[in-house]
Amino acid sequence: MGDAASAAAAMALVERLAALAVLLATIEMGLLIRLYSPGGVFGWDLVAPYRPLGRWPVMRTLSRFVYSAVGYRALLTMRVFAGVVLLLQPWSETPSLWFRAVPVSLLFATQAAINHHLVPSGANGSHGMLGVLLGTLTLFHLGGSGKDVAWMCCWFLAAQCCLSYAVPGFRKARDAQWRDGNALVALGRHSFFGGPLLGQLLRQPRARVLARATIAFECAFPLVLVLPVPFSTTLLVAGIGFHAANAVLLGLSPFLWAWLACYPAVAWAAGIA
Amino acid sequence: MSDHLIPPALIAACLVVWFVATVVSEVFGVGRLRRLDGLGILPGFRLFPSEPKDILLRIERFDAARRAVGEPEIVSWTVPMGATALLLHPEHRRMDIVRRHVVRLHQMAHRGTLDPARAPLLMGSRVIERYLASLGHPAGTAGYRYEVLRRTRDGHLGPPTFTSRSINL
């Protein structure tokens, strides 16, 4: 574990990487805005009956505006603006509380609004992880961005990150299809995630080796917090490779940036930085 | 630094409650907790890829002539994927968002986070209806039906786990 002073530096890096993740996710959403606007396949009008905001009379009117085509454009524009402000903040000096807290809070509020809309069907793990990151950063700044708060937030993010690997890792370990590699073969053949390249790559016996390596990596990841630095560094590098491979082969690129943004906190908790 | 809007002790309490809620939701699989999570901040790490069930969606179109001989036409489609995936992997331009959307609804219905009696039928049918309409499929007497199928362990398609009513555009 690093000292409390370096926790603040780790949080500064988390903030910039989270801003980058938000910008990429926002650009992606902006290019597909017709899908999220009313009438699109992810339109609010489809999910409204199943969401609290769509059921309460006052909120129904508000949400109809927020999730309209105009509302979504405004929301995405605000996210780009706030993300750029965070990315361009100078490293050397600490800006005022309001200057730090407002852009992050805005990003968290807009992320919560997007998650509220997409959680029933269109959200994925990266939406959840961005919610965790931006919520933690908001609490960090509202708490004064001090060393003690940075210490707590770094531990929280490190613990969430470890949980995010360990839970699916142990579930895969209990699943015979994962242990014998057939789950990866099915993934390679899957019409959404798979393709000719992946189908060739994910064949037996290679699939079994890759599946077991994935299980071992995910289950072992929490050890990053207790292993000596060379081993914990190896686990973090393996994590970057894991997400990069998922991004290139499965198209899960938003996961790469969202999880990468947690890594400075994990590295700090592991005593690497 | 002393300029804070929330006392650090309260921040600590928030983080502890948040983490415990995540652990309870994830490890013990409390779906209800996730349903209460309007902000989407209980991440749902266990959803994918820990449950890689190969769920397939098949849409069949019945026009009058085909309906008479009981021979549906299977409609296929592709929709572009997002920008960051595009930048990294051009092959993924042609991912099928509609299929993901409907399949996701079915996964959620299976897990009990959506009402299986209502959600797949109402939402899934509307999604498909919209998509087909945007492709310019003719309205009128033609009807569509969709089925959800699962690939079995040996790689073959199993029987439908869900069949919608006929959808008339």
Side-chain angles (χ1 to χ4, degrees):
Chain A
M1 179 179 70
D3 56 20
S6 56
M11 286 304 289
L13 190 53
V14 166
E15 187 168 86
R16 270 123 182 122
L17 288 170
L20 182 64
V22 165
L23 280 174
L24 288 169
T26 306
I27 290 168
E28 179 166 313
M29 212 169 168
L31 290 174
L32 297 168
I33 197 154
R34 66 187 169 78
L35 299 177
Y36 300 99
S37 304
V41 292
F42 292 125
W44 172 251
D45 49 327
L46 277 179
V47 295
Y50 308 100
R51 306 301 288 153
L53 279 188
R55 288 200 291 262
W56 301 333
V58 178
M59 300 309 284
R60 195 160 50 218
T61 310
L62 179 67
S63 62
R64 218 176 282 142
F65 169 72
V66 170
Y67 299 121
S68 67
V70 175
Y72 246 121
R73 283 198 177 87
L75 188 139
L76 297 182
T77 306
M78 280 192 289
R79 278 166 75 78
V80 169
F81 182 72
V84 169
V85 167
L86 285 182
L87 269 180
L88 297 182
Q89 277 193 12
W91 290 83
S92 51
E93 54 192 270
T94 310
S96 72
L97 170 72
W98 289 106
F99 195 68
R100 295 189 310 266
V102 169
V104 167
S105 307
L106 190 65
L107 286 182
F108 178 55
T110 53
Q111 187 68 48
I114 290 170
N115 288 359
H116 185 80
H117 175 190
L118 296 182
V119 156
S121 58
N124 57 45
S126 71
H127 289 88
M129 190 48 104
L130 279 180
V132 169
L133 279 162
L134 296 170
T136 310
L137 285 165
T138 302
L139 289 174
F140 171 58
H141 288 308
L142 293 178
S145 322
K147 293 173 191 170
D148 293 342
V149 182
W151 184 91
M152 292 186 270
C153 291
C154 270
W155 270 115
F156 174 74
L157 285 178
Q160 284 275 8
C161 192
C162 288
L163 195 66
S164 76
Y165 290 112
V167 170
F170 282 104
R171 282 183 64 85
K172 286 189 190 87
R174 285 168 49 195
D175 187 332
Q177 284 197 74
W178 267 98
R179 288 196 305 273
D180 61 23
N182 285 332
L184 271 186
V185 175
L187 204 61
R189 286 191 204 145
H190 198 288
S191 53
F192 181 68
F193 296 106
L197 177 67
L198 203 62
Q200 287 293 321
L201 183 70
L202 298 178
R203 279 183 170 182
Q204 296 289 20
R206 200 184 295 131
R208 180 184 302 164
V209 175
L210 282 172
R212 291 189 176 185
T214 302
I215 293 169
F217 162 72
E218 290 191 329
C219 292
F221 192 86
L223 296 176
V224 75
L225 301 178
V226 293
L227 286 172
V229 168
F231 296 105
S232 52
T233 308
T234 306
L235 269 177
L236 281 185
V237 172
I240 294 170
F242 173 70
H243 287 296
N246 284 346
V248 173
L249 297 172
L250 301 177
L252 298 174
S253 50
F255 287 75
L256 170 66
W257 307 109
W259 262 259
L260 206 59
C262 287
Y263 276 26
V266 180
W268 172 85
I272 296 170
Chain B
M1 198 174 296
S2 60
D3 59 335
H4 56 72
L5 294 175
I6 302 177
L10 190 56
I11 303 277
C14 288
L15 293 176
V16 168
V17 169
W18 191 352
F19 186 69
V20 170
T22 309
V23 171
V24 170
S25 170
E26 291 298 313
V27 178
F28 301 105
V30 182
R32 283 190 197 91
L33 208 56
R34 291 204 75 229
R35 260 180 281 174
L36 292 173
D37 173 27
L39 303 180
I41 55 173
L42 296 180
F45 299 131
R46 58 188 297 154
L47 304 186
F48 178 84
S50 53
E51 296 175 56
K53 299 283 186 286
D54 202 348
I55 302 176
L56 305 174
L57 178 71
R58 182 165 68 195
I59 298 183
E60 297 173 331
R61 177 184 167 196
F62 292 85
D63 59 23
R66 286 175 184 272
R67 201 197 305 262
V69 293
E71 183 192 328
E73 171 193 354
I74 296 176
V75 179
S76 62
W77 64 86
T78 50
V79 179
M81 184 57 181
T84 54
L86 265 177
L87 292 172
L88 282 164
H89 199 272
E91 276 300 306
H92 286 160
R93 283 177 199 184
R94 300 175 70 76
M95 279 193 171
D96 189 338
I97 288 177
V98 178
R99 176 155 37 206
R100 184 176 71 165
H101 192 53
V102 179
V103 166
R104 189 69 179 271
L105 291 170
H106 282 272
Q107 285 177 325
M108 298 188 79
H110 278 288
R111 282 194 305 270
T113 47
L114 276 182
D115 180 355
R118 292 193 310 164
L121 192 64
L122 293 179
M123 292 174 69
S125 300
R126 284 179 194 158
V127 167
I128 291 167
E129 216 170 283
R130 279 183 183 186
Y131 187 72
L132 294 174
S134 76
L135 287 183
H137 279 265
T141 55
Y144 293 86
R145 189 180 72 185
Y146 78 96
E147 289 179 337
V148 177
L149 307 110
R150 289 197 159 183
R151 202 182 286 282
T152 55
R153 295 183 71 168
D154 57 3
H156 295 102
L157 286 180
T161 58
F162 179 84
T163 302
S164 78
R165 288 180 299 192
S166 177
I167 307 165
N168 288 306
L169 295 180

